[in-house]
Amino acid sequence: MHLYYKGEDDGMPTITYLYMRSAVEETMAVFDDTVKKIMKKDFRRWAGDSMVCKECDFRFYCRGK
Ligand code: SF4
C-alpha cells in the first residue's frame, strides 16, 4: 500500500507499507475521532511540536498552540 502526500520537496513523496486491515481500521478510527472533534468545534489540542506548527498552513488562524 502506498500513501502519497503533498509538499515533499526533497526525496520520495510516498510512504510504502504492508496492507493490514486492522491497521487501516485503526487509522480510520483516528480520522473519525478528529472529524467528530472538528464538528463539535473542539480545537483544544495542538500538534505538540512547534516545528510542525511552523510549517502548517493554518498557523495564522490556529489558537491551539
Ligand atoms: S498551527 Fe495549529 S493546526 Fe497547525 S499544526 Fe500547529 S496546532 Fe495544528
Side-chain angles (χ1 to χ4, degrees):
M1 186 169 221
H2 306 283
L3 175 64
Y4 173 80
Y5 53 95
K6 298 170 43 178
E8 177 63 39
D9 295 328
D10 308 316
M12 293 288 289
T14 59
I15 298 172
T16 302
Y17 52 97
L18 291 175
Y19 172 81
M20 290 176 28
R21 186 180 186 92
S22 60
V24 172
E25 288 173 351
E26 285 176 27
T27 301
M28 293 298 291
V30 171
F31 276 102
D32 286 346
D33 185 53
T34 300
V35 169
K36 286 176 188 168
K37 288 177 180 169
I38 292 170
M39 297 298 287
K40 291 191 306 186
K41 300 189 184 305
D42 178 359
F43 304 118
R44 288 175 291 167
R45 295 184 65 191
W46 74 292
D49 183 341
S50 59
M51 293 302 288
V52 173
C53 296
K54 187 178 164 190
E55 301 292 327
C56 177
D57 291 338
F58 296 100
R59 66 188 178 278
F60 301 111
Y61 311 100
C62 179
R63 286 182 259 158
K65 51 188 172 158

